[in-house]
Amino acid sequence: MQRTFATTARWLALAAFVFAVAMPAQAQRNVTLRLNTATLPDTVKTDIDRNIQVRGCLDGCADDQSALPDGSVIAWNDNTTLTPSSQGGDFWEASFQIPDNETLNFKFYSDQSEMAGIGGREDGGNHQIEAGTGDVELDVHYFEKGDDQPYDWRPFTVGPDQVGVWFRVYIDTEQATLKGLDIDDENLQIGVRGNPDVGGFQGEETNTMDWGATNIVLTQEAESGPAAALYSGLVTYPASAAGTQQAYKFFFSDTDTPDGWEDISGGGDRLFTVPSSDTTLYWQFYGDSPANDGSTVEATVDFLADVQPLVDVGLVSLARGDAIQVRGAFNGWDCPDDNQDDCGLFQIPGSLDFGNSVPITAAPSDEINYKYYVVFNIDEDGDGELDDPEWGNIGWEEPLDNGGGNRIFEFAGSAQTLDTEFFNGIRRPNVIPAGDPIPVTFSVDMTAALGFDADPFDPATDKVTLQLEDAVWRVTQGFAPAQPTDGLLTDFELTDTDGDGIYTGVYNVLRPTYNGIGYRYAYGNTDDGFIVEGAGGFDTGRRRYRYITPDNGTIPSSFEFALDAFRSTDVDNPDSVMPIEANPTDPNRDDLIASNPLFFDNGFTDPLSVAIEEVGGALPTTMALATAYPNPFRGSTQIEYSVPQAGPVSLMVYDVTGRVVATLVDEVQTASNYRVGFDASGLAAGVYVYQLRTQEGLVSQRLTVIR
């Protein structure tokens, strides 16, 4: 019986094979559908799955569902197995088979649209693929809600030799609220600002994308429901711009917030490459911030800034009425004259500290970006206006500790006080007092720039120049308040005398100033323009920082920075980010160097230290400052002082004009008796004042330098 069964089984298998060969498989067509869901407002519902389906039927829809040749199923309900896959953003694609000579009726369906209460299936009549043979690949279709439209309908149209790009943003986010967004303000305007060189425009070709004006305006997609905070608009590009990278940001303004720039997660600008055919950009949350779900609260934040170092280098003058402000995401990076209570900082009596309690509306744990700002009151003729309008916009600090990037704190959601901060990260040891100029040598290896894909460096026609980018520091050097028109110090040229590709130049740093220098290199010529290294922007890594470092408290007579290598200008290249020497006075510098690869050590173990020693004895009950010994003296002297209780201590030396010539102590000390050395070999003969400041007050003594 076993043998008979085996024989029978083999016979049946053979018969099945012969039957299969004799009966050819059902003829079928390959179908490819593409969908764009940018026209579907419920895409703002990011908390639910974005499930897209193709629903429909074959030949007259006689059956509830139909099996397709590839094993998939099509139906007008959830039994369909045709689920397009996301191609990124708003784009979806589905490929399947239908039998030859059968008609396919179909529509697209969205779970999100159904859950949003506007119906999941497209409106209008069915889409149809007529009976026939041959593969079918349809053009991109935009999800239809509302009026019936042709299958190849577009939500925008452009002319010949043009490409349309549809921008979309969800504006009602926590960051926008923090910046002062009033979603119900009748004067609210949402727009896009960006690099004008790419050629994007809206409406008239003269209405181009711009960093300085909202020429690209976005309109509200719906008055209520999930799309009420979704704004969109068309930007048209010349076809020749295809392949070019567009840098941009979303921007809003309303009655109380004129400059609502978004801050992008990770820093920098938004970027996309202009395509060769019309497209949409997948919608973005303004500032990459969560939607405003009502969790924002208002609480006061105490800001406190020490401007003593700015006074020491002669930048800030309280006598002429210079003012200090805090500006950030919470006030649109602006401080109007009629709203100083929410942004102006006020001098604390008996000090050069400026502070204020500023109301901020945000969600707890939000990261708040901000900077301090100096309003220079340069009005020597007394007419109530700045003598030079350029002085009206140079007061932004470029904090040395952050490599020029924004300051950031985490919002507690209740009243909080920030630590005292130094404007621009300039602490007293950063100050270089009045004296002879310091020749500083800059050098850069230009080898990498020879191989740039776009506008490579040509030593035969291009010169190499230095660009000093901290506007406040530039003022100490006698430059005009603003950058030159082309942004370059084209009159400060570096040269390569031996042809090895390393260009060197010496810049004489004027004193008084501070020792942190922010800069970049550039190459080019007056006919073709200049190429500036790096990606630029507004975030940490947009420029280099180095320091003229004192040696044991002594200001050097000359200084040489280590060799730099010209950095890439390609924003997508990690090499376009500038390396930053950590501020030697930053108490968190070691942690910063360990946690952020952009920051490096300058090679000095304790570059700004002055030898301070405790001398023992009974704990003092009052502060005291002894007479320097020796005094008068030629080279160096010793100064002893007493601190009765723990706290901040500073011991500084001034010339007879009140300018700081040395910082001997600037730290928190415990109660004790101390001694510190002072090397005056770099000072001219004359009388000087040294002053001790503690929590108990001030005490001063005189000393005399002889030659």
Side-chain angles (χ1 to χ4, degrees):
M1 293 295 293
Q2 270 185 321
R3 184 170 182 171
T4 302
F5 177 79
T7 301
T8 302
R10 282 196 293 270
W11 183 88
L12 291 173
L14 179 62
F17 173 76
V18 172
F19 180 79
V21 171
M23 297 296 293
Q26 183 182 25
Q28 69 274 330
R29 316 165 69 185
N30 295 314
V31 175
T32 301
L33 305 179
R34 295 186 178 90
L35 174 70
N36 187 312
T37 55
T39 47
L40 186 61
D42 65 298
T43 52
V44 300
K45 292 284 188 180
T46 59
D47 56 338
I48 59 177
D49 292 335
R50 301 176 71 234
N51 183 29
I52 301 295
Q53 298 176 342
V54 179
R55 295 188 174 187
C57 61
L58 292 175
D59 264 355
C61 299
D63 300 319
D64 291 338
Q65 63 185 51
S66 301
L68 301 179
D70 58 7
S72 56
V73 173
I74 188 167
W76 282 114
N77 54 34
D78 203 37
N79 290 333
T80 185
T81 63
L82 299 181
T83 55
S85 59
S86 174
Q87 305 301 300
D90 296 311
F91 294 90
W92 304 78
E93 183 175 298
S95 294
F96 53 93
Q97 294 176 337
I98 62 173
D100 275 359
N101 299 310
E102 290 199 32
T103 299
L104 174 67
N105 289 275
F106 71 96
K107 284 185 177 181
F108 291 100
Y109 174 93
S110 165
D111 272 353
Q112 275 187 273
S113 181
E114 184 71 41
M115 296 176 70
I118 60 176
R121 192 184 298 178
E122 291 185 284
D123 294 335
N126 293 340
H127 313 309
Q128 193 172 82
I129 295 178
E130 298 288 349
T133 60
D135 294 344
V136 176
E137 184 173 325
L138 297 185
D139 197 5
V140 175
H141 169 74
Y142 282 78
F143 199 102
E144 292 181 15
K145 294 303 292 185
D147 296 337
D148 195 11
Q149 299 286 355
Y151 189 84
D152 60 357
W153 168 78
R154 295 289 181 268
F156 51 81
T157 57
V158 298
D161 299 322
Q162 293 178 335
V163 175
V165 178
W166 195 13
F167 288 74
R168 306 177 79 204
V169 62
Y170 187 86
I171 190 66
D172 191 14
T173 67
E174 290 181 1
Q175 185 184 114
T177 301
L178 175 63
K179 290 176 176 289
L181 172 73
D182 182 354
I183 195 69
D184 298 319
D185 191 332
E186 62 180 10
N187 295 318
L188 177 64
Q189 183 185 70
I190 313 298
V192 182
R193 294 188 176 190
N195 179 12
D197 297 335
V198 186
F201 64 92
Q202 188 174 69
E204 299 296 329
E205 293 194 23
T206 56
N207 207 29
T208 58
M209 179 88 73
D210 199 299
W211 285 118
T214 309
N215 296 332
I216 309 299
V217 178
L218 307 183
T219 57
Q220 190 176 30
E221 293 192 356
E223 295 183 359
S224 61
L230 197 61
Y231 285 73
S232 60
L234 174 67
V235 177
T236 303
Y237 292 90
S240 59
T244 306
Q245 195 168 63
Q246 172 74 75
Y248 71 100
K249 280 187 176 182
F250 294 109
F251 182 95
F252 79 86
S253 61
D254 57 29
T255 302
D256 299 319
T257 308
D259 297 308
W261 286 103
E262 65 172 344
D263 297 318
I264 306 302
S265 176
D269 301 322
R270 297 190 185 277
L271 300 169
F272 80 92
T273 300
V274 178
S276 57
S277 58
D278 300 344
T279 192
T280 67
L281 300 181
Y282 183 54
W283 68 273
Q284 302 286 346
F285 279 121
Y286 175 93
D288 297 332
S289 173
N292 181 12
D293 60 2
S295 63
T296 57
V297 298
E298 180 177 301
T300 58
V301 176
D302 294 339
F303 293 89
L304 195 64
D306 186 335
V307 300
Q308 174 74 58
L310 287 181
V311 174
D312 293 342
V313 297
L315 281 170
V316 167
S317 171
L318 303 182
R320 73 178 176 219
D322 291 351
I324 312 298
Q325 300 172 345
V326 61
R327 299 183 176 187
F330 47 87
N331 58 20
W333 299 96
D334 194 23
C335 189
D337 293 338
D338 59 356
N339 194 28
Q340 291 297 296
D341 288 344
D342 290 346
C343 55
L345 302 185
F346 306 101
Q347 186 176 6
I348 297 174
S351 74
L352 285 175
D353 291 343
F354 284 70
N356 193 12
S357 294
V358 176
I360 291 179
T361 300
S365 300
D366 275 356
E367 288 191 339
I368 310 299
N369 286 260
Y370 69 103
K371 282 184 177 181
Y372 294 108
Y373 186 90
V374 176
V375 180
F376 293 100
N377 188 31
I378 312 298
D379 181 21
E380 295 179 356
D381 57 11
D383 64 356
E385 297 181 358
L386 296 178
D387 293 338
D388 187 340
E390 291 179 331
W391 280 90
N393 197 38
I394 73 159
W396 291 104
E397 66 168 348
E398 305 287 347
L400 300 177
D401 299 346
N402 304 346
N406 294 338
R407 299 182 185 273
I408 301 175
F409 75 91
E410 185 176 291
F411 184 59
S414 58
Q416 67 188 110
T417 299
L418 305 183
D419 293 336
T420 301
E421 298 169 306
F422 290 88
F423 186 97
N424 226 17
I426 308 168
R427 298 169 183 83
R428 291 171 182 83
N430 287 113
V431 172
I432 299 178
D436 294 334
I438 302 173
V440 176
T441 300
F442 293 81
S443 56
V444 58
D445 186 342
M446 297 298 298
T447 304
L450 294 169
F452 284 176
D453 292 336
D455 298 313
F457 172 58
D458 184 353
T461 60
D462 295 334
K463 63 180 179 179
V464 178
T465 65
L466 183 72
Q467 177 166 327
L468 301 170
E469 297 192 331
D470 179 348
V472 175
W473 190 87
R474 286 170 55 85
V475 172
T476 70
Q477 303 304 294
F479 289 105
Q483 295 278 5
T485 302
D486 59 4
L488 299 169
L489 293 177
T490 52
D491 56 338
F492 180 70
E493 184 177 353
L494 290 76
T495 58
D496 178 13
T497 56
D498 56 7
D500 63 354
I502 296 176
Y503 286 70
T504 303
V506 177
Y507 176 78
N508 289 313
V509 174
L510 303 181
R511 303 165 55 178
T513 188
Y514 47 95
N515 66 348
I517 303 177
Y519 65 98
R520 288 192 288 168
Y521 297 103
Y523 66 82
N525 54 71
T526 53
D527 292 332
D528 301 324
F530 283 82
I531 304 297
V532 185
E533 66 172 342
F538 294 93
D539 300 291
T540 302
R542 59 178 167 158
R543 66 171 69 101
R544 302 176 186 272
Y545 281 86
R546 286 193 182 272
Y547 293 83
I548 303 170
T549 311
D551 183 9
N552 262 347
T554 301
I555 304 299
S557 58
S558 63
F559 204 80
E560 182 174 349
F561 288 154
L563 176 66
D564 295 316
F566 198 91
R567 309 291 284 190
S568 172
T569 58
D570 181 0
V571 295
D572 292 328
N573 189 335
D575 190 46
S576 66
V577 182
M578 301 284 112
I580 302 164
E581 181 180 326
N583 186 356
T585 73
D586 181 1
N588 300 312
R589 67 188 301 273
D590 291 340
D591 292 339
L592 183 63
I593 292 170
S595 63
N596 192 324
L598 289 182
F599 290 84
F600 63 90
D601 196 342
N602 60 12
F604 292 84
T605 56
D606 192 9
L608 294 173
S609 67
V610 176
I612 304 170
E613 59 178 319
E614 290 190 56
V615 296
L619 287 177
T621 58
T622 59
M623 69 178 296
L625 181 63
T627 301
Y629 181 83
N631 187 19
F633 65 103
R634 294 182 184 276
S636 61
T637 187
Q638 300 286 319
I639 299 172
E640 293 188 358
Y641 61 95
S642 298
V643 178
Q645 64 179 24
V649 177
S650 68
L651 179 58
M652 309 181 73
V653 182
Y654 299 84
D655 64 16
V656 292
T657 69
R659 292 179 296 185
V660 176
V661 297
T663 299
L664 306 181
V665 181
D666 186 23
E667 62 184 36
V668 174
Q669 293 183 329
T670 59
S672 188
N673 301 298
Y674 295 89
R675 179 188 299 122
V676 62
F678 173 42
D679 182 355
S681 57
L683 296 179
V687 176
Y688 295 84
V689 174
Y690 57 104
Q691 182 183 83
L692 175 69
R693 180 195 296 264
T694 72
Q695 295 177 108
E696 285 69 40
L698 301 174
V699 61
S700 302
Q701 293 273 18
R702 290 174 176 252
L703 54 80
T704 302
V705 177
I706 58 176
R707 291 287 179 254

